[in-house]
mmCIF file of all heavy atoms in Angstrom:
data_model
loop_
_atom_site.group_PDB
_atom_site.id
_atom_site.type_symbol
_atom_site.label_atom_id
_atom_site.label_comp_id
_atom_site.label_asym_id
_atom_site.label_seq_id
_atom_site.Cartn_x
_atom_site.Cartn_y
_atom_site.Cartn_z
ATOM 1 N N GLN X 51 2.197 -9.541 12.812
ATOM 2 C CA GLN X 51 1.448 -10.797 12.465
ATOM 3 C C GLN X 51 0.035 -10.443 12.059
ATOM 4 O O GLN X 51 -0.523 -11.050 11.138
ATOM 5 C CB GLN X 51 1.496 -11.673 13.629
ATOM 6 C CG GLN X 51 0.941 -13.100 13.314
ATOM 7 C CD GLN X 51 1.145 -14.115 14.479
ATOM 8 O OE1 GLN X 51 1.352 -13.699 15.668
ATOM 9 N NE2 GLN X 51 1.203 -15.313 14.161
ATOM 10 N N ARG X 52 -0.626 -9.504 12.768
ATOM 11 C CA ARG X 52 -1.946 -9.205 12.327
ATOM 12 C C ARG X 52 -2.098 -8.506 11.029
ATOM 13 O O ARG X 52 -2.979 -8.774 10.266
ATOM 14 C CB ARG X 52 -2.586 -8.113 13.430
ATOM 15 C CG ARG X 52 -3.014 -8.818 14.772
ATOM 16 C CD ARG X 52 -3.902 -7.839 15.468
ATOM 17 N NE ARG X 52 -3.403 -6.457 15.622
ATOM 18 C CZ ARG X 52 -2.612 -6.105 16.641
ATOM 19 N NH1 ARG X 52 -2.291 -6.856 17.575
ATOM 20 N NH2 ARG X 52 -2.246 -4.804 16.621
ATOM 21 N N LEU X 53 -1.038 -7.751 10.741
ATOM 22 C CA LEU X 53 -0.949 -7.111 9.348
ATOM 23 C C LEU X 53 -0.900 -8.158 8.229
ATOM 24 O O LEU X 53 -1.541 -7.993 7.228
ATOM 25 C CB LEU X 53 0.144 -6.187 9.269
ATOM 26 C CG LEU X 53 0.199 -4.871 10.060
ATOM 27 C CD1 LEU X 53 1.432 -4.107 9.890
ATOM 28 C CD2 LEU X 53 -1.024 -3.999 9.575
ATOM 29 N N LEU X 54 -0.110 -9.183 8.552
ATOM 30 C CA LEU X 54 0.055 -10.251 7.531
ATOM 31 C C LEU X 54 -1.326 -10.896 7.224
ATOM 32 O O LEU X 54 -1.604 -11.267 6.030
ATOM 33 C CB LEU X 54 1.042 -11.265 7.982
ATOM 34 C CG LEU X 54 1.404 -12.387 7.030
ATOM 35 C CD1 LEU X 54 2.321 -11.889 5.904
ATOM 36 C CD2 LEU X 54 2.050 -13.558 7.726
ATOM 37 N N TRP X 55 -2.167 -11.199 8.180
ATOM 38 C CA TRP X 55 -3.351 -12.005 8.075
ATOM 39 C C TRP X 55 -4.504 -11.113 7.836
ATOM 40 O O TRP X 55 -5.529 -11.559 7.159
ATOM 41 C CB TRP X 55 -3.547 -12.790 9.293
ATOM 42 C CG TRP X 55 -2.563 -13.916 9.352
ATOM 43 C CD1 TRP X 55 -1.452 -13.889 10.237
ATOM 44 C CD2 TRP X 55 -2.514 -15.195 8.659
ATOM 45 N NE1 TRP X 55 -0.671 -15.075 10.009
ATOM 46 C CE2 TRP X 55 -1.361 -15.858 9.145
ATOM 47 C CE3 TRP X 55 -3.415 -15.732 7.702
ATOM 48 C CZ2 TRP X 55 -0.986 -17.131 8.623
ATOM 49 C CZ3 TRP X 55 -2.948 -16.986 7.210
ATOM 50 C CH2 TRP X 55 -1.857 -17.687 7.689
ATOM 51 N N ASP X 56 -4.588 -9.840 8.288
ATOM 52 C CA ASP X 56 -5.783 -9.048 8.249
ATOM 53 C C ASP X 56 -5.818 -7.805 7.410
ATOM 54 O O ASP X 56 -6.815 -7.272 7.008
ATOM 55 C CB ASP X 56 -6.157 -8.616 9.686
ATOM 56 C CG ASP X 56 -6.375 -9.786 10.615
ATOM 57 O OD1 ASP X 56 -6.722 -10.857 10.153
ATOM 58 O OD2 ASP X 56 -6.245 -9.639 11.807
ATOM 59 N N HIS X 57 -4.570 -7.315 7.131
ATOM 60 C CA HIS X 57 -4.521 -6.024 6.268
ATOM 61 C C HIS X 57 -4.466 -6.385 4.772
ATOM 62 O O HIS X 57 -3.740 -7.345 4.427
ATOM 63 C CB HIS X 57 -3.198 -5.257 6.713
ATOM 64 C CG HIS X 57 -3.266 -3.861 6.151
ATOM 65 N ND1 HIS X 57 -2.865 -3.514 4.861
ATOM 66 C CD2 HIS X 57 -3.485 -2.681 6.764
ATOM 67 C CE1 HIS X 57 -2.895 -2.241 4.684
ATOM 68 N NE2 HIS X 57 -3.298 -1.701 5.828
ATOM 69 N N PRO X 58 -5.200 -5.666 3.980
ATOM 70 C CA PRO X 58 -5.249 -6.002 2.536
ATOM 71 C C PRO X 58 -3.768 -6.034 1.889
ATOM 72 O O PRO X 58 -3.489 -6.927 1.119
ATOM 73 C CB PRO X 58 -6.007 -4.864 1.926
ATOM 74 C CG PRO X 58 -6.925 -4.363 2.964
ATOM 75 C CD PRO X 58 -6.071 -4.620 4.310
ATOM 76 N N ARG X 59 -2.994 -5.147 2.312
ATOM 77 C CA ARG X 59 -1.599 -5.104 1.696
ATOM 78 C C ARG X 59 -0.768 -6.276 2.295
ATOM 79 O O ARG X 59 -0.015 -6.890 1.615
ATOM 80 C CB ARG X 59 -0.923 -3.780 2.116
ATOM 81 C CG ARG X 59 0.471 -3.537 1.560
ATOM 82 C CD ARG X 59 0.434 -3.271 0.092
ATOM 83 N NE ARG X 59 1.690 -2.999 -0.493
ATOM 84 C CZ ARG X 59 2.036 -3.061 -1.808
ATOM 85 N NH1 ARG X 59 1.046 -3.251 -2.662
ATOM 86 N NH2 ARG X 59 3.287 -2.807 -2.247
ATOM 87 N N GLY X 60 -0.978 -6.537 3.559
ATOM 88 C CA GLY X 60 -0.264 -7.652 4.070
ATOM 89 C C GLY X 60 -0.608 -8.975 3.541
ATOM 90 O O GLY X 60 0.176 -9.821 3.243
ATOM 91 N N ILE X 61 -1.909 -9.205 3.258
ATOM 92 C CA ILE X 61 -2.363 -10.377 2.510
ATOM 93 C C ILE X 61 -1.904 -10.540 1.119
ATOM 94 O O ILE X 61 -1.364 -11.486 0.661
ATOM 95 C CB ILE X 61 -3.928 -10.427 2.570
ATOM 96 C CG1 ILE X 61 -4.389 -10.571 3.993
ATOM 97 C CG2 ILE X 61 -4.454 -11.685 1.735
ATOM 98 C CD1 ILE X 61 -5.958 -10.305 4.161
ATOM 99 N N ALA X 62 -2.031 -9.314 0.422
ATOM 100 C CA ALA X 62 -1.667 -9.355 -1.010
ATOM 101 C C ALA X 62 -0.174 -9.496 -1.319
ATOM 102 O O ALA X 62 0.195 -10.067 -2.286
ATOM 103 C CB ALA X 62 -2.173 -8.120 -1.768
ATOM 104 N N VAL X 63 0.613 -8.851 -0.362
ATOM 105 C CA VAL X 63 2.106 -8.885 -0.589
ATOM 106 C C VAL X 63 2.782 -9.923 0.310
ATOM 107 O O VAL X 63 3.503 -10.821 -0.217
ATOM 108 C CB VAL X 63 2.703 -7.454 -0.360
ATOM 109 C CG1 VAL X 63 4.177 -7.516 -0.539
ATOM 110 C CG2 VAL X 63 1.989 -6.434 -1.283
ATOM 111 N N GLY X 64 2.601 -9.781 1.570
ATOM 112 C CA GLY X 64 3.314 -10.601 2.532
ATOM 113 C C GLY X 64 2.911 -12.059 2.548
ATOM 114 O O GLY X 64 3.679 -12.989 2.268
ATOM 115 N N LEU X 65 1.601 -12.293 2.756
ATOM 116 C CA LEU X 65 1.144 -13.621 2.884
ATOM 117 C C LEU X 65 1.235 -14.353 1.494
ATOM 118 O O LEU X 65 1.604 -15.562 1.502
ATOM 119 C CB LEU X 65 -0.424 -13.653 3.299
ATOM 120 C CG LEU X 65 -1.027 -15.013 3.593
ATOM 121 C CD1 LEU X 65 -0.223 -15.845 4.668
ATOM 122 C CD2 LEU X 65 -2.490 -14.791 3.958
ATOM 123 N N SER X 66 0.972 -13.601 0.459
ATOM 124 C CA SER X 66 1.126 -14.217 -0.885
ATOM 125 C C SER X 66 2.556 -14.696 -1.137
ATOM 126 O O SER X 66 2.838 -15.717 -1.717
ATOM 127 C CB SER X 66 0.723 -13.259 -1.973
ATOM 128 O OG SER X 66 -0.653 -12.926 -1.827
ATOM 129 N N TYR X 67 3.571 -13.911 -0.662
ATOM 130 C CA TYR X 67 4.963 -14.238 -0.842
ATOM 131 C C TYR X 67 5.238 -15.589 -0.075
ATOM 132 O O TYR X 67 5.845 -16.492 -0.659
ATOM 133 C CB TYR X 67 5.844 -13.108 -0.256
ATOM 134 C CG TYR X 67 7.287 -13.546 -0.147
ATOM 135 C CD1 TYR X 67 8.117 -13.658 -1.239
ATOM 136 C CD2 TYR X 67 7.855 -13.922 1.138
ATOM 137 C CE1 TYR X 67 9.436 -14.039 -1.075
ATOM 138 C CE2 TYR X 67 9.121 -14.347 1.259
ATOM 139 C CZ TYR X 67 10.015 -14.424 0.161
ATOM 140 O OH TYR X 67 11.263 -14.826 0.218
ATOM 141 N N PHE X 68 4.830 -15.571 1.220
ATOM 142 C CA PHE X 68 5.188 -16.851 1.954
ATOM 143 C C PHE X 68 4.485 -18.052 1.407
ATOM 144 O O PHE X 68 5.086 -19.184 1.257
ATOM 145 C CB PHE X 68 4.713 -16.698 3.386
ATOM 146 C CG PHE X 68 5.598 -15.811 4.232
ATOM 147 C CD1 PHE X 68 4.956 -14.807 4.998
ATOM 148 C CD2 PHE X 68 6.890 -15.930 4.294
ATOM 149 C CE1 PHE X 68 5.717 -13.980 5.775
ATOM 150 C CE2 PHE X 68 7.650 -15.106 5.010
ATOM 151 C CZ PHE X 68 7.101 -14.118 5.853
#
Side-chain angles (χ1 to χ4, degrees):
Q51 190 172 21
R52 283 198 310 271
L53 289 176
L54 184 76
W55 293 99
D56 299 335
H57 193 282
R59 185 71 177 167
I61 295 169
V63 179
L65 186 57
S66 295
Y67 168 78
F68 286 132

